[in-house]
Amino acid sequence: MKELKSNRIHIGIYGKTNSGKSTFLNALLNQEISITSHVAGTTTDVVEKSAELFPVGAVTFLDTAGLDDTTELGGKRIEKTINALNRTDIGVIVCDYNGISEYEKDLITRFEVLKISYMVVINKSDVEGISPEKLREIESFTKNILQISALRDNNLTDKFVELLLKVLPEEFVNDISMLGDLISADETVVFVTPIDKEAPRGRLILPEVQAIRDILDNNCIACVAQVPQLESVLSLLNKKPKLVVTDSQAFREVDKIVPSDISLTSFSILLARLKGDLQTFVDGVKALDNIETGDRILIAESCTHHRIEDDIAQVKIPNLIRKKTGTEPIFENYSGHDFPDLTGYKLIVHCGACMTNKREVLSRIMLAKSAGVPITNYGITISYCLGILSRAIDVFEK
């Protein structure tokens, strides 16, 4: 499922202004993705480009602004560059024959703190070769070094992919399945996919599509139904399904229909395990036991979407929390790739993150831990408020 943008390896291209970052990316993909110029500060925002790199597969490149941008908008550009670290799985530092400076060294420190694998690309070898002293300085940080000319190397892509395969984290080398470790070949999984006001016209939402494809990839049988048809579907099956997966918003109704000897969870909880840290989210939701009136709760979404009258983030989850706690917390909503200042929050309730990558979710978990703020996600929050969390995560403990 790496063809989904959120599952792609995100490769961040970093470096000082005019180190040749955009030229490198253009040459790597043999396309003019980013504007290049001798004028410093040409790249004004993070430029995203999806591509296929054999045999790695689908990736997304993030071409960032220069770390030393001193133009009028430089501060904002650098801020966006630093924020892009939270989406970066692999870091690529582009420098030239001048070697690395404090800018690149600071970036390396950030990579190491965030546990981001990285390489250094020494560009412009057609202009001048790097001195042995400056090369040794880079080697004191990493042996993952590529010396190239973005303008002259005909086999640049092959060289880059060869090094990329060496720095890829294990989680990308051995692709993680959404359901593969929970099921065996020929077993049946029933998916409950309500077609309500939030369902996109003419199609299923991304987590549902991803889960169904994962079942097929694992040679299993997928049954799809809405809540009113669920009881009939279960009665028609010759043997009970291995698992029922529901939209979290239908947890209450589905829990009443599905017999207790059949495992039940939700798409959101599957994503919590796939892209985040399930145990951290389960521990985090218990903060609701200590919520008081006036406490601030952040409801965070990775993407922006059209709000409906009964929106899950702005209406349904706040109402469930009010009923569960018997209090009136202050709910604040935030969406997008950046993350707000977490000072003063008592809890973060995160979406399923179907539209972002694992690195970004893990970065947000790290930010929450650093700020001392518990973090959980939609599906876990809903099941906890309904009193069925133990059942919803039981399948992962068997």
Side-chain angles (χ1 to χ4, degrees):
M1 292 297 289
K2 282 185 178 177
E3 68 276 5
L4 297 175
K5 181 180 176 182
S6 58
N7 288 351
R8 292 171 181 263
I9 299 167
H10 285 54
I11 303 172
I13 312 295
Y14 299 89
K16 290 187 292 189
T17 53
N18 279 1
S19 60
K21 300 186 300 299
S22 297
T23 302
F24 165 71
L25 181 56
N26 290 345
L28 187 65
L29 302 180
N30 196 28
Q31 299 178 51
E32 189 168 345
I33 306 302
S34 301
I35 299 173
T36 60
S37 169
H38 67 280
V39 178
T42 302
T43 301
T44 60
D45 206 342
V46 178
V47 177
E48 295 190 21
K49 172 60 181 177
S50 296
E52 288 281 341
L53 291 181
F54 180 82
V56 176
V59 302
T60 295
F61 286 98
L62 308 173
D63 186 16
T64 68
L67 295 164
D68 58 336
D69 191 340
T70 58
T71 60
E72 184 176 348
L73 295 176
K76 292 184 178 180
R77 290 170 178 164
I78 292 174
E79 182 181 358
K80 288 183 177 293
T81 293
I82 298 303
N83 286 339
L85 288 171
N86 293 330
R87 290 185 280 153
T88 298
D89 299 305
I90 302 292
V92 177
I93 298 174
V94 179
C95 65
D96 58 19
Y97 45 82
N98 291 304
I100 58 175
S101 66
E102 294 306 313
Y103 293 104
E104 290 89 352
K105 292 174 185 177
D106 176 68
L107 184 61
I108 288 172
T109 299
R110 292 175 185 270
F111 283 157
E112 291 174 346
V113 168
L114 294 171
K115 296 180 173 57
I116 299 173
S117 299
Y118 68 93
M119 67 174 76
V120 175
V121 173
I122 305 171
N123 192 19
K124 304 183 181 180
S125 63
D126 57 312
V127 177
E128 184 178 335
I130 190 169
S131 69
E133 294 77 17
K134 291 177 180 177
L135 180 58
R136 281 196 294 271
E137 182 179 27
I138 297 174
E139 289 175 337
S140 69
F141 292 96
T142 179
K143 302 300 182 184
N144 300 317
I145 300 169
L146 187 63
Q147 297 189 55
I148 56 99
S149 165
L151 295 177
R152 298 286 183 266
D153 275 336
N154 294 323
N155 59 343
L156 172 59
T157 303
D158 291 341
K159 290 181 179 179
F160 175 77
V161 171
E162 183 179 354
L163 185 55
L164 178 62
L165 289 170
K166 294 180 180 180
V167 302
L168 275 176
E170 188 69 18
E171 65 191 75
F172 293 110
V173 176
N174 299 315
D175 199 12
I176 302 171
S177 171
M178 194 174 187
L179 290 147
D181 62 325
L182 304 176
I183 52 178
S184 300
D186 298 325
E187 289 184 321
T188 300
V189 176
V190 176
F191 296 112
V192 185
T193 59
I195 305 300
D196 54 20
K197 289 184 291 185
E198 291 195 74
R201 185 175 179 83
R203 60 185 176 86
L204 299 174
I205 61 174
L206 187 56
E208 295 166 354
V209 174
Q210 188 174 355
I212 292 170
R213 174 57 192 266
D214 200 51
I215 287 295
L216 299 177
D217 287 341
N218 284 281
N219 301 310
C220 292
I221 303 163
C223 293
V224 185
Q226 295 192 65
V227 176
Q229 289 75 45
L230 177 58
E231 196 166 357
S232 296
V233 168
L234 293 175
S235 67
L236 289 171
L237 295 174
N238 291 328
K239 67 176 183 177
K240 68 181 181 181
K242 172 69 174 181
L243 174 66
V244 174
V245 182
T246 181
D247 185 295
S248 297
Q249 298 181 69
F251 248 142
R252 190 195 307 272
E253 298 89 340
V254 174
D255 176 58
K256 293 176 181 178
I257 296 171
V258 177
S260 59
D261 61 342
I262 298 176
S263 296
L264 170 66
T265 192
S266 76
F267 295 103
S268 181
I269 293 177
L270 286 174
L271 287 175
R273 189 179 73 124
L274 180 70
K275 296 191 176 185
D277 183 333
L278 182 60
Q279 190 58 56
T280 294
F281 287 154
V282 169
D283 292 341
V285 78
K286 296 171 185 176
L288 286 175
D289 294 341
N290 300 311
I291 289 293
E292 299 178 356
T293 295
D295 284 345
R296 296 168 64 207
I297 296 178
L298 175 66
I299 300 183
E301 296 177 282
S302 297
C303 65
T304 57
H305 61 272
H306 176 67
R307 303 288 184 187
I308 65 171
E309 183 180 351
D310 199 23
D311 187 74
I312 184 172
Q314 295 189 332
V315 178
K316 292 181 179 179
I317 287 180
N319 284 343
L320 281 169
I321 290 176
R322 290 187 187 102
K323 185 174 182 180
K324 171 69 175 178
T325 63
T327 65
E328 282 292 337
I330 298 170
F331 296 96
E332 299 178 15
N333 294 81
Y334 190 89
S335 61
H337 287 304
D338 300 335
F339 222 32
D341 181 357
L342 300 179
T343 304
Y345 288 109
K346 297 296 183 181
L347 176 65
I348 301 166
V349 182
H350 204 285
C351 69
C354 63
M355 296 300 291
T356 192
N357 67 339
K358 184 170 184 174
R359 165 60 62 181
E360 185 168 1
V361 178
L362 292 177
S363 295
R364 291 183 169 194
I365 290 174
M366 291 176 66
L367 287 171
K369 286 184 175 180
S370 297
V373 183
I375 184 170
T376 187
N377 95 329
Y378 283 11
I380 292 169
T381 300
I382 292 171
S383 60
Y384 189 70
C385 289
L386 295 176
I388 58 172
L389 176 59
S390 294
R391 184 181 189 188
I393 62 174
D394 179 64
V395 66
F396 309 116
E397 299 171 351
K398 291 181 178 179

